[in-house]
Amino acid sequence: LNGCYFEVEEGKMLAVACDSFRLAKCEKLVDIENTGTGTVRHLAYAFIIPNKSIGELQRILQDGDDKKVKVFVTHRNIIFNLGDMIFFTRVVDGYYIDYEKVIVKNHKIFVDVDREELLSALERACLITEERIVGMVRANVKLDISGGLLKILANSSAGSTYDEIEVAHEGEDLFIAFNNKYLIDCVRACGGDSIKISLSSAHASINVVPVEKDESINEEYMLLPVRLNN
């Protein structure tokens, strides 16, 4: 879990990253050209880049332009040629987890919600959820899915917040809690104007995907809930 997994094929790239609480999966159609020599006839690679290297590479790419990046992969290392800069890092030795088995696919509760409305409500809840308790930060937010409403609740010694959002809801009502920062990360990363949240129970992981699918990109985010004391 200490790295980002990549699969690269002709015209397609898959990236998967996860920790003990959340998982992100993104598959995108991209313009990839194999300029390898020798006996290489088909572009197909799989490798794991360490977390720290991913963060540094992301910052470098954000500061760049739309020029193509040359990537050189070996069994132990990977090199990114960015024109005026070369980024070198090792790759993680070993196999990645079977992430498809981790993602729950038989959810029975579905909620379609406006992404910006939900994100705004969760960010308001951050004013309450960032509470330090015995050296740790508690950042839980509660979601009450009932009928056509999604209620966002948070409370701590600093106060409480309450928001209501109209949603398209299918399935049973549900009361569930999450680490607010992790939930915000999932919602913010998900593309589109509206997102679909798939749930099963208060103790099972959820899936977050865009409502409107883009043919060039397939993204999915998974997040585990937190257990409530009461």
Side-chain angles (χ1 to χ4, degrees), residues 137-164:
V137 177
R138 182 177 69 183
N140 297 341
V141 63
K142 302 172 183 119
L143 304 184
D144 185 0
I145 305 166
S146 178
L149 287 178
L150 171 60
K151 303 170 186 176
I152 299 95
L153 309 93
N155 59 78
S156 70
S157 59
S160 61
T161 62
Y162 177 85
D163 275 281
E164 283 186 0

Side-chain angles (χ1 to χ4, degrees), residues 79-97:
I79 300 172
F80 296 86
N81 188 330
L82 309 168
D84 56 349
M85 182 181 298
I86 294 177
F87 183 84
F88 172 90
T89 182
R90 67 178 179 85
V91 294
V92 177
D93 186 23
Y95 296 97
Y96 205 66
I97 64 169

Side-chain angles (χ1 to χ4, degrees), residues 79-227:
I79 300 172
F80 296 86
N81 188 330
L82 309 168
D84 56 349
M85 182 181 298
I86 294 177
F87 183 84
F88 172 90
T89 182
R90 67 178 179 85
V91 294
V92 177
D93 186 23
Y95 296 97
Y96 205 66
I97 64 169
D98 190 350
Y99 55 89
E100 289 292 351
K101 289 185 177 180
V102 176
I103 301 174
V104 179
K105 304 182 186 300
N106 58 347
H107 291 295
K108 298 180 180 179
I109 304 172
F110 306 96
V111 175
D112 291 0
V113 57
D114 183 273
R115 177 177 168 274
E116 289 300 324
E117 282 191 56
L118 178 57
L119 191 58
S120 296
L122 295 175
E123 288 175 343
R124 284 191 291 271
C126 273
L127 301 174
I128 301 300
T129 57
E130 295 296 332
E131 180 185 22
R132 294 193 173 272
I133 303 175
V134 195
M136 299 182 66
V137 177
R138 182 177 69 183
N140 297 341
V141 63
K142 302 172 183 119
L143 304 184
D144 185 0
I145 305 166
S146 178
L149 287 178
L150 171 60
K151 303 170 186 176
I152 299 95
L153 309 93
N155 59 78
S156 70
S157 59
S160 61
T161 62
Y162 177 85
D163 275 281
E164 283 186 0
I165 303 176
E166 292 186 359
V167 298
H169 172 209
E170 178 184 343
E172 300 177 352
D173 295 344
L174 183 65
F175 190 82
I176 191 170
F178 296 95
N179 178 297
N180 195 22
K181 181 182 182 303
Y182 292 167
L183 183 56
I184 287 176
D185 288 343
C186 287
V187 174
R188 182 178 288 132
C190 194
D193 296 329
S194 298
I195 61 174
K196 178 182 288 292
I197 304 175
S198 304
L199 314 94
S200 294
S201 71
H203 307 297
S205 62
I206 68 168
N207 297 348
V208 180
V209 298
V211 172
E212 298 179 357
K213 299 293 184 180
D214 187 336
E215 293 183 357
S216 65
I217 185 170
N218 180 20
E219 54 183 323
E220 185 173 11
Y221 306 90
M222 187 196 78
L223 177 64
L224 286 172
V226 297
R227 292 183 178 273

Side-chain angles (χ1 to χ4, degrees), residues 65-78:
D65 49 28
D66 294 332
K67 290 183 180 179
K68 286 190 176 182
V69 178
K70 292 184 178 180
V71 184
F72 304 90
V73 185
T74 70
H75 292 295
R76 294 176 179 264
N77 304 291
I78 185 168

